[in-house]
Amino acid sequence: MSRAGSRDPALPARPRRTELALLLAALVLLALGFASAEGDIRGQLSGTVALYAGALAGAALALHTALRFLAPWADPLILPLATVLNGVGLCTIWGLHRVSDPRASEAADQLTWTLCGIALCGAALAVVPRPRMMQRYPYLTAAAGLVLLTLPMLPFVGIDAFGAQRWIGVAGFTVQPSEFAKILLVVFLAAYLSIKRDVLSLAARQLTIGSVKVFSQPRMRDLGPMTVAWGVAILLLVGTKDLGTSLLLFGVYLAMLYTATQRKSWVGIGVAMFAAGACVAWALFGHVQRRVTAWLTPFAPDTYEAEGGSFQLVQGLFALAEGGLTGTGFGQGRAADIFASDSDLILVSIGEKLGFTGLAAVVVLLFLLTERGFRAALESREIFVKLATSGFAFLLAFQVFVVLGGVTRLIPLTGMTTPFLAAGGSSLVSSWIIVGLWLRISDAARRPEPAAEHGADAATEVLRLRSG
């Protein structure tokens, strides 16, 4: 600001200049990555490299231009980080299929979904001019999320593939509704917690031993509506055998509940519920038993050779080992022959092609993007916005942990996709929608408030907006 209580009109341009510089650097790096992959595979460059790199660059720069008008105060790091992650995933998918089948359309499909995702990111900025608008209809939002989770179970629409009913068929395309339901359910949870936060924090029965408080039991009439909605969501996911997403949503539920109330006892209740649910799932579902067996004894001959056994996991471990420190490059390695190497095992493919160094860099980029989400939450002035923004950040962080933990055998493999990197339009588009919401929220948080000298009308408007 040039003086107290006034705004310097040049200030909004500074974040955008920083963003443009970082974005150009990311796009140059990605173009070199495409060229290097094409050189490893064919020994010469082709027009395909220019097509993919140019399309991604054009879409990212168009979104950057839109930000100058729609959200000039937005965090300048979010868009470059999302673009470089999307580009790394696109380059990896393109290289994998270029080796196995040069005529495969997976990379072209991923580019199409990338352009759709960036377009919807800009649409989210335009449709949501104020973040608090998402808080208006919490129960309607929850109902919409539950409807999306129900769609794969409907006849003639749901698609059963790989032992799960996660997809629906729409005009020849497959869509995974749970990817979009996660956004709606996080918004509902943030809205409910922002309303009930004080009650949930203070109105709880205390279990004491002597004069020492050891446990807080929440009142179910306060926790009930949220728990019922979340329980129904998880049961629907279990019904469609999408256990990875049910685990993810349960973790986000606990994290947001603790963020809103600071009650450690509630996390303890949630962990106990999760342990009980895991035991029930193991007892009821054969594919859960197979996943656990593959996790515990992957190198046993019976487990390795069994249908749905540990073959995919073990081959992924071998591919990571072959990558070493600097990677095999796209012309060598076994990742292209592993099932789902472009989706569930995309981090394995990156680790093999780019080595431990490249995989570590990608994980750091994912960490930085998550950190920008949490920073936007800290900068926000309203409880609902803080909770929604942190919920999206928890969603991204837990998803990366589940995927990376699965492919490195830290936890059982779940078949979940990695945000921005894995093949799949639903995951990619929903990730870009979250980026659009983050950009809007960070713009609202960083935008200076109207000064007192602008008159009482401006101050009154600020109070009205804050009250929601």
Side-chain angles (χ1 to χ4, degrees):
M1 294 186 179
S2 58
R3 67 180 187 273
S6 64
R7 287 182 289 175
D8 183 351
L11 282 177
R14 295 178 186 174
R16 304 281 66 81
R17 286 197 293 266
T18 302
E19 179 183 79
L20 180 59
L22 293 173
L23 192 58
L24 290 175
L27 293 172
V28 169
L29 182 63
L30 293 174
L32 293 175
F34 273 104
S36 175
E38 180 77 334
D40 286 344
I41 297 169
R42 298 186 58 192
Q44 59 182 0
L45 298 181
S46 67
T48 307
V49 172
L51 172 63
Y52 280 77
L56 180 59
L61 291 174
L63 181 57
H64 162 76
T65 303
L67 281 174
R68 289 180 174 270
F69 298 95
L70 296 175
W73 292 90
D75 189 329
L77 299 184
I78 292 178
L79 177 57
L81 286 169
T83 300
V84 73
L85 286 168
N86 195 158
V88 169
L90 182 61
C91 182
T92 304
I93 294 166
W94 178 81
L96 289 171
H97 291 286
R98 193 75 168 172
V99 171
S100 59
D101 183 5
R103 296 172 296 178
S105 62
E106 282 81 356
D109 293 341
Q110 189 73 355
L111 177 62
T112 301
W113 289 119
T114 296
L115 300 179
C116 291
I118 294 176
L120 287 176
C121 177
L125 283 166
V127 172
V128 186
R130 293 185 300 276
R132 69 181 62 83
M133 290 177 58
M134 299 184 292
Q135 187 184 7
R136 290 180 178 176
Y137 308 104
Y139 294 105
L140 185 61
T141 302
L146 295 177
V147 168
L148 287 176
L149 294 180
T150 307
L151 289 179
M153 304 176 67
L154 299 179
F156 308 110
V157 178
I159 298 175
D160 191 342
F162 312 118
Q165 288 181 296
R166 304 177 187 173
W167 301 271
I168 61 172
V170 179
F173 295 95
T174 57
V175 179
Q176 189 171 349
S178 62
E179 293 291 341
F180 304 98
K182 290 186 293 189
I183 299 176
L184 296 176
L185 291 174
V186 167
V187 171
F188 158 71
L189 184 56
Y192 189 87
L193 286 174
S194 65
I195 297 171
K196 296 287 187 177
R197 176 172 174 264
D198 293 335
V199 175
L200 293 172
S201 300
L202 302 174
R205 300 186 183 94
Q206 301 292 333
L207 176 63
T208 60
I209 298 180
S211 60
V212 180
K213 296 179 181 180
V214 296
F215 193 75
S216 298
Q217 181 182 355
R219 299 190 311 183
M220 285 309 299
R221 69 170 178 267
D222 301 321
L223 189 63
M226 179 178 58
T227 303
V228 168
W230 223 252
V232 171
I234 291 176
L235 287 175
L236 288 174
L237 290 168
V238 170
T240 59
K241 300 181 181 179
D242 192 357
L243 299 182
T245 303
S246 65
L247 168 64
L248 175 67
L249 283 178
F250 191 80
V252 172
Y253 170 79
L254 290 183
M256 292 183 67
L257 190 58
Y258 176 75
T259 301
T261 64
Q262 301 296 306
R263 290 281 187 178
K264 294 185 287 292
S265 58
W266 291 37
V267 177
I269 294 173
V271 171
M273 292 171 60
F274 169 76
C279 293
V280 171
W282 183 86
L284 295 180
F285 301 107
H287 67 284
V288 175
Q289 297 175 9
R290 290 191 294 271
R291 288 290 176 92
V292 173
T293 302
W295 171 51
L296 295 176
T297 58
F299 299 101
D302 293 342
T303 305
Y304 182 79
E305 297 173 359
E307 182 179 358
S310 61
F311 177 83
Q312 182 189 27
L313 174 61
V314 171
Q315 290 298 312
L317 293 173
F318 287 157
L320 282 174
E322 286 186 7
L325 188 62
T326 58
T328 63
F330 283 89
Q332 303 179 43
R334 69 175 71 204
D337 298 324
I338 302 176
F339 174 71
S341 60
D342 61 349
S343 54
D344 299 352
L345 269 64
I346 189 66
L347 291 180
V348 167
S349 300
I350 293 172
E352 183 192 68
K353 304 307 179 186
L354 305 181
F356 174 79
T357 304
L359 180 59
V362 168
V363 173
V364 168
L365 290 173
L366 288 165
F367 169 80
L368 288 175
L369 183 58
T370 304
E371 186 270 338
R372 301 317 294 183
F374 283 120
R375 182 175 293 274
L378 290 173
E379 293 173 343
S380 299
R381 305 179 184 98
E382 302 170 6
I383 296 301
F384 163 74
V385 178
K386 284 180 179 290
L387 290 174
T389 312
S390 60
F392 294 140
F394 282 124
L395 196 65
L396 178 65
F398 288 166
Q399 196 163 341
V400 173
F401 168 77
V402 170
V403 174
L404 190 59
V407 299
T408 57
R409 218 181 131 224
L410 179 65
I411 60 175
L413 192 64
T414 60
M416 191 177 295
T417 56
T418 309
F420 294 102
L421 296 169
S426 302
S427 174
L428 185 58
V429 170
S430 65
S431 297
W432 274 110
I433 291 174
I434 290 175
V435 165
L437 296 176
W438 271 346
L439 289 168
R440 170 57 66 207
I441 289 168
S442 65
D443 173 73
R446 292 164 175 250
R447 186 183 296 271
E449 298 183 58
E453 67 184 29
H454 290 174
D457 292 340
T460 303
E461 178 67 6
V462 172
L463 292 176
R464 185 186 69 80
L465 292 176
R466 283 188 171 182
S467 64

